[in-house]
Amino acid sequence: TAAALRAAEMNCDALMKGTNVDGVYSADPKLDASAERYDTLSYMQVLSQDLKVMDASAVSLSRENGIPIIVFSIQDNGGFTQVLQGKGACTIVQD
């Protein structure tokens, strides 16, 4: 929530969310081999499907301020740079 609030205060174009996996999945990919990674999701899909991207307050705050959430892996060497260049694996949450 703090990151979403700061992004709103600073009028950021996006909120970058580094995780242990390369995006948002339908289930925990470490526990469920059939989990599917989403390329894009809406804020409402994240909230209604109770996907564990961020807490609901952060997702709602991002939605209210029109700030896309970009979820990517911090485990991939050079992953952040690739995502910034539009080449890396990630999930984008937006309307």
Side-chain angles (χ1 to χ4, degrees), residues 68-85:
I69 303 168
I70 302 171
V71 183
F72 65 99
S73 174
I74 58 172
Q75 302 299 324
D76 297 337
N77 190 20
F80 180 68
T81 302
Q82 289 179 341
V83 168
L84 289 177
Q85 294 172 344

Side-chain angles (χ1 to χ4, degrees), residues 41-45 62-64 66-68 92-95:
L41 285 166
S42 71
Y43 302 105
M44 291 309 295
Q45 286 174 302
S62 296
R63 178 177 176 250
E64 290 169 8
I67 301 171
I92 301 174
V93 180
Q94 62 186 357
D95 274 335

Side-chain angles (χ1 to χ4, degrees), residues 14-78:
L15 174 60
M16 306 296 288
K17 168 79 162 94
T19 67
N20 289 317
V21 293
D22 60 352
V24 179
Y25 284 78
S26 58
D28 186 340
K30 294 179 182 181
L31 302 176
D32 185 350
S34 66
E36 295 182 38
R37 187 178 68 79
Y38 299 105
D39 289 326
T40 61
L41 285 166
S42 71
Y43 302 105
M44 291 309 295
Q45 286 174 302
V46 170
L47 294 171
S48 67
Q49 295 177 32
D50 195 28
L51 298 172
K52 304 298 181 192
V53 177
M54 302 172 88
D55 61 272
S57 298
V59 175
S60 295
L61 188 59
S62 296
R63 178 177 176 250
E64 290 169 8
N65 289 282
I67 301 171
I69 303 168
I70 302 171
V71 183
F72 65 99
S73 174
I74 58 172
Q75 302 299 324
D76 297 337
N77 190 20

